[in-house]
Amino acid sequence: VAISGGEYHSLAIRNDGTVWAWGRNGNGQLGNNTSVNSNIPVQVIGMTGAVEVAAGRFYSFALRADSTVWSWGENLYGQLGDGTNNNNRLTPVQTIGLTDITAIAGGAFHSLAIKSDKTVLSWGRNTYGNLGDGSTTNSSLPIAVSLLTNVVAIDCGTNYSLALRGDDSLFAFGRNTFGQLGDSLGVEWHVPHGVQGLCRSCVNTSSSITATSCGAYTSPSGNQTFTASGIYTDVIPNSGGCDSVITINLTIDTVNIN
């Protein structure tokens, strides 16, 4: 009834609600209490009543019909959400605090879930702000993603996240090295940011500021630091999901102290 693929392993739910896995198993991501690879499907121990599965890079998790979430495999960054890290799980453990979940998604090292009230929770690696809480601190427990409401779909890439709202507005956050957040700026976002041209509720407004700084200047959004004079663009998200685009005319002063 549902399938998902990780980097080198696969998951499937049978119509009786059991979960089956195959492929690489070096971190226990097949959930059969071994770390031995399997080229045929093996049953994930203890998983019944599953309605959705998601495969991360080297870990797996499943949403049960009772709205709880269960995870297994690699847990280096707390991506299993059981309050620990640095210990692989060879069989499923319950993700702490999740009892009203309607959808799940797994990235390389982090996870997302939609609650019944259509807000979003995240956990795991947060090096690039991909948990969307405004920080870059990893979390081994689910935490709330800032600003997002009325979310109907989620997905994760490697170190970035996507969320679709019910008004067809698409938001992204996390790493943006290759433009994967779709904002043309190429800077990482630690809170959800509207994808350019795909965000109905985002109305960008432009303004201009002049900044004078000694040595380095941090942009108003906190996402960029400049060390040379020039004209820069910064985007500041607000609580309604609408972004302000600011042009920064920056002068950097260098002072030598003898």
Side-chain angles (χ1 to χ4, degrees):
V1 298
I3 56 175
S4 184
E7 184 165 88
Y8 301 115
H9 75 290
S10 307
L11 302 174
I13 303 175
R14 294 181 59 171
N15 57 14
D16 63 359
T18 58
V19 178
W20 296 73
W22 59 100
R24 183 174 180 176
N25 196 29
N27 300 93
Q29 57 264 50
L30 301 190
N32 66 339
N33 202 32
T34 77
S35 56
V36 179
N37 300 341
S38 179
N39 58 8
I40 59 172
V42 295
Q43 187 169 359
V44 176
I45 293 175
M47 279 306 308
T48 60
V51 296
E52 186 178 357
V53 285
R57 187 184 182 192
F58 299 137
Y59 74 102
S60 309
F61 59 124
L63 173 64
R64 294 179 58 176
D66 63 3
S67 300
T68 60
V69 176
W70 296 74
S71 309
W72 58 98
E74 184 188 57
N75 197 31
L76 182 62
Y77 301 99
Q79 60 263 50
L80 302 189
D82 67 346
T84 69
N85 54 40
N86 287 325
N87 53 331
N88 297 339
R89 302 288 191 174
L90 304 185
T91 58
V93 294
Q94 187 169 3
T95 300
I96 294 175
L98 301 187
T99 58
D100 58 347
I101 301 304
T102 62
I104 55 176
F109 308 107
H110 76 290
S111 310
L112 298 178
I114 302 177
K115 296 177 62 177
S116 58
D117 64 2
K118 297 186 179 181
T119 58
V120 179
L121 297 172
S122 59
W123 60 100
R125 186 180 184 182
N126 195 29
T127 306
Y128 300 93
N130 38 293
L131 298 190
D133 68 331
S135 80
T136 55
T137 303
N138 298 342
S139 180
S140 60
L141 293 171
I143 56 177
V145 176
S146 301
L147 309 179
L148 286 179
T149 59
N150 192 29
V151 174
V152 296
I154 49 175
D155 207 353
C156 302
T158 299
N159 299 316
Y160 75 102
S161 307
L162 298 169
L164 177 66
R165 295 204 323 198
D167 63 357
D168 294 332
S169 295
L170 182 60
F171 291 81
F173 43 103
R175 190 172 188 177
N176 198 24
T177 307
F178 304 101
Q180 58 265 53
L181 302 191
D183 68 353
S184 77
L185 295 178
V187 297
E188 66 188 49
W189 288 94
H190 302 165
V191 294
H193 171 69
V195 175
Q196 188 171 317
L198 299 178
C199 188
R200 291 176 180 267
S201 63
C202 301
V203 180
N204 290 342
T205 58
S206 296
S207 59
S208 180
I209 64 173
T210 298
T212 301
S213 181
C214 178
Y217 174 78
T218 300
S219 65
S221 70
N223 284 298
Q224 303 180 82
T225 299
F226 307 111
T227 57
S229 300
I231 299 176
Y232 302 97
T233 300
D234 190 38
V235 183
I236 305 174
N238 67 29
S239 59
C242 302
D243 304 325
S244 296
V245 179
I246 295 177
T247 300
I248 304 169
N249 298 295
L250 178 63
T251 300
I252 294 290
D253 295 325
T254 301
V255 177
N256 294 320
I257 300 176
N258 296 321

